Amino acid sequence: MDLLLDFIIVGLSIGIVYGLVALGISLIFSGLDIVHFAHGEVYMIGAFLGIAIVSISGVPYFGALVGAMIVTGAVGVVIERVFYRRLTRGGGGYTVAGMGMIICGFGMSVALQNVAYLIWGAAPHPYPVSFGMPIFLGNIALPKSYLYILVSALVLMAVLHTFLTRTKLGLAVRAVAYNKDTSYLMGVNVPAMISLIFGVACAMAAVAGVLIGPINYVQIEMGYLMLLKAFAAAVVGGFGSLPGALLGGVVVGLFETLCAGYLIASYKDIYAFLLLITVLMVRPTGLLGIIVKVKA
Amino acid sequence: MLTIRNLRTGYGKVQILRGIDMSVAEGRIVALLGGNGTGKSTLLKAVSGLLPVWSGSIEFNGEEIRNRKPNVIVRRGLTQVTQGKDMYPAMTVEENLRIGAYTRSDKAGVVADMNKVFDYFPVLGERRRQLAATLSGGEVQMLVIGRGLMANPKLIMLDEPSSALAPRVLLDIFSIVNRINRNEGITILLVEQNVRMALLLAEYGYVIRDGVIHIEGDARDLINDDNVRLAYLGGTVADAGAELAH
Ligand SMILES: Nc1ncnc2c1ncn2[C@@H]1O[C@H](COP(=O)(O)OP(=O)(O)OP(=O)(O)O)[C@@H](O)[C@H]1O
Ligand SMILES: [Mg+2]
C-alpha cells in the first residue's frame, strides 16, 4: 500500500514534467503549425542554465527556476527569429514551410546538443542543491523535490490559464493559434505573437528541466528520451490541446512508473510507447483531442 | 478617402491584378463587382496589407499605405471583413468581438461599440456567451461584420457578405450595412456577386475583369447597363452568346 502511494506520487511528478514539455510542443504546434523536434534539447539547455544560475552564490532554487525560464525563453525567441523564420520567407508562413521546418528542427536539435557539449561537456552533472530531509508520509520518505514539482507545475498552470483566458494578450495568442491572416487583420502583431508563443513554450521546457534536475542527473543527451516521452504525452492527450498535453503527461508518467514498479523495471521506457500505441488504436484523436481545425 | 492607382499584384509569379485604378469617396458605399476568380478578394487583400503589392499606389486619407503591415493599416481605420466568414469558433461571441477591438485602448468606447453591435444584431447579444462554432451561417456573417465594427473603422471593406445566405437574412444584412453607413458615417467598399442588390445600395460601382477595371460609373447607370451583365458573367464567348441569344 505504501509502495503504491509512493509510485503514484513519483509517477504523478514525472508525468507533470512530461506534461510541461508536451505543453510546449502543443503550444508550438497550435501557434506555429510545426512539430518542434528540438524541444527536448531546449529542455536540456534549460536544465543546464538552471545549474549555472543556482551555482551563482546566493541564488535560491526557485530563483534558478525563474531565471532559467527567462533565459531559455529568450534563447527560444532568438532561435525562432534567426533560424526558423528564415524558412518562411517564401511566403505562406509556417504552415507552408512544413517539411523544411521539420528538418530544420532536427538540425537544431543536433546543433544545440553540440553547443551544450562544448560548454558543459559530456559528463552527467549532479544538481548542486539540497532540499534537506525528505517528508515522511507514514512509512514512506518522499524527497521534497517531488513536492516542488507538484507545486511549481500547479502554479505555472494557473498562471498560463489565466493569461490565455483573462488577458487581451492571451486572447491574441489564441487568435493567432487559430488563424494568422484573420488575426493580422484584427490588428494583432502576428510575427511578435509567434515569437511570444515560441518563447513561452521554451520557458516551459526549462521549468521541466530545472524541476527534474535534482531527481536525475543533468546531461547533454537527456533531451532525446524526454522528447519521445513528451511527444507520447501530447499524442495521448490529444495533439494541440493544452489541457490534453498535461493530462497525457500525467497518464504516461503514472502508467510507466506503475508498470516499472510492478512489472519489469528495466523495460521502463517501453511502457510509454505501449500506451501510445494502445491509445492511438482505441482513440486516434487522443484523450482530449477534438478536431477543431484541419492542418494543412 | 481611398485611392488606388495602377495596382499590380498576384500570387508567386502569377499576376492577377494588372493595373487597377479606383477610388472610394468618404461616406459613400461603393460596389466592387466581377465574376468568380476575377481578383476582387485579391484586391482587398492587397489593400489591407495581407498580400504584397508589386507596383502602384494605395493612398488612404492622404497617406501611402502600400505594403504596410496589416496590423498597422487597421490602426489607420481601414478594416477588412473577409469572405470566408473567418470567425474564431473556439471563442465566445463576445471574445470574437473583443478581438476585433484589439487595437483600441479606450475601454469605455469598446463597451459602447459592443452595445451598438448588439443593437444592430440583437441575436449576437443573446448569444454573447456562446461559442462562435454554434452560430448559424447568417449569424456568423453578422458576427464578422460586428467584429469589423469593433475596430471603430473609417472605411470597412466587406467581401461578399451575402454569399450562401437565405434571401431573408440577405435582406437583413444589406439593410444593416446601409444603416451602418448612414448612422455611423462609415465608408463602405462592398464586394458582391449579388449585382442588383449591391448596385441598389451603392452610389458608385466598379466592375473588374481580366485584372483591370472594365466598367465604372454611377450605380443607377450600371444597373441598366447590359455590359455589366456581360462582364459579370465572366466573359467567355459561350456565356456571352447564351446571354445574347436570350
Ligand atoms: N492564395 C492564392 N494563391 C494562388 N492563387 C490564388 C490565391 N488566392 C486566389 N488565387 C487566384 O487568384 C484569382 C483571383 O482570386 P480572388 O479570390 O481574388 O477572386 P474573387 O474575385 O474574389 O472571386 P470570388 O468571387 O469567387 O470570391 C483566382 O484565379 C484564384 O485562383
Ligand atoms: Mg472573393
Side-chain angles (χ1 to χ4, degrees), chain B residues 163-177:
Chain B
S163 69
L165 295 188
R168 261 296 306 280
V169 187
L170 186 149
L171 276 175
D172 282 355
I173 299 257
F174 275 123
S175 88
I176 289 169
V177 166

Side-chain angles (χ1 to χ4, degrees), chain A residues 36-53:
Chain A
H36 188 221
F37 281 106
H39 219 61
E41 275 60 45
V42 173
Y43 150 83
M44 175 267 294
I45 298 270
F48 271 112
L49 284 172
I51 292 188
I53 296 173

Side-chain angles (χ1 to χ4, degrees), chain B residues 9 18 20 32 36 47 83 99 104-105 120 122 155 169 171 184 186 189 195 205 223 236:
Chain B
T9 188
R18 305 170 183 280
I20 297 280
L32 175 62
N36 282 117
V47 172
Q83 182 173 6
I99 194 89
R104 300 171 61 181
S105 46
Y120 281 120
L155 189 158
V169 187
L171 276 175
E184 315 297 328
I186 297 175
L189 176 58
V195 185
I223 222 166
T236 66

Side-chain angles (χ1 to χ4, degrees), chain B residues 140-155:
Chain B
V140 170
Q141 187 58 54
M142 296 177 194
L143 178 61
V144 293
I145 294 177
R147 193 180 59 187
L149 289 176
M150 291 302 292
N152 194 19
K154 299 191 181 80
L155 189 158

Side-chain angles (χ1 to χ4, degrees), chain A residues 164-169 171-172 174-176 178-191 193 292, chain B residues 48 50 69-71 74-75 79-80 82 86-91 95 98-105 147:
Chain A
L164 286 176
T165 53
R166 297 263 180 272
T167 68
K168 194 170 165 181
L169 205 58
L171 192 67
R174 283 157 62 206
V176 169
Y178 183 71
N179 187 330
K180 289 174 192 52
D181 277 358
T182 304
S183 306
Y184 228 156
L185 290 176
M186 298 298 116
V188 177
N189 186 340
V190 174
M193 223 46 77
V292 280
Chain B
S48 64
L50 279 181
K69 295 275 172 259
N71 55 326
V74 188
R75 277 165 214 271
T79 293
Q80 181 190 350
T82 52
D86 301 302
M87 53 21 162
Y88 299 102
M91 291 185 191
E95 283 175 323
R98 267 200 281 129
I99 194 89
Y102 184 77
T103 52
R104 300 171 61 181
S105 46
R147 193 180 59 187

Side-chain angles (χ1 to χ4, degrees), chain B residues 40-41 83 159-160:
Chain B
K40 304 180 299 295
S41 301
Q83 182 173 6
D159 200 345
E160 298 194 24

Side-chain angles (χ1 to χ4, degrees), chain A residues 3 24-25 60 64 74 83 91 94-95 97 111 114 118 134 155 186-187 221 228-229 269 280 289:
Chain A
L3 199 60
I25 292 176
F83 299 100
Y94 276 104
T95 320
N114 282 285
L118 288 178
V155 170
M186 298 298 116
E221 275 140 17
L228 293 181
K229 297 281 180 66
D269 292 331
L280 283 181

Side-chain angles (χ1 to χ4, degrees), chain A residues 103-120:
Chain A
I103 308 287
C104 189
F106 276 120
M108 182 56 63
S109 142
V110 175
L112 288 178
Q113 239 185 65
N114 282 285
V115 168
Y117 173 74
L118 288 178
I119 304 176
W120 293 294

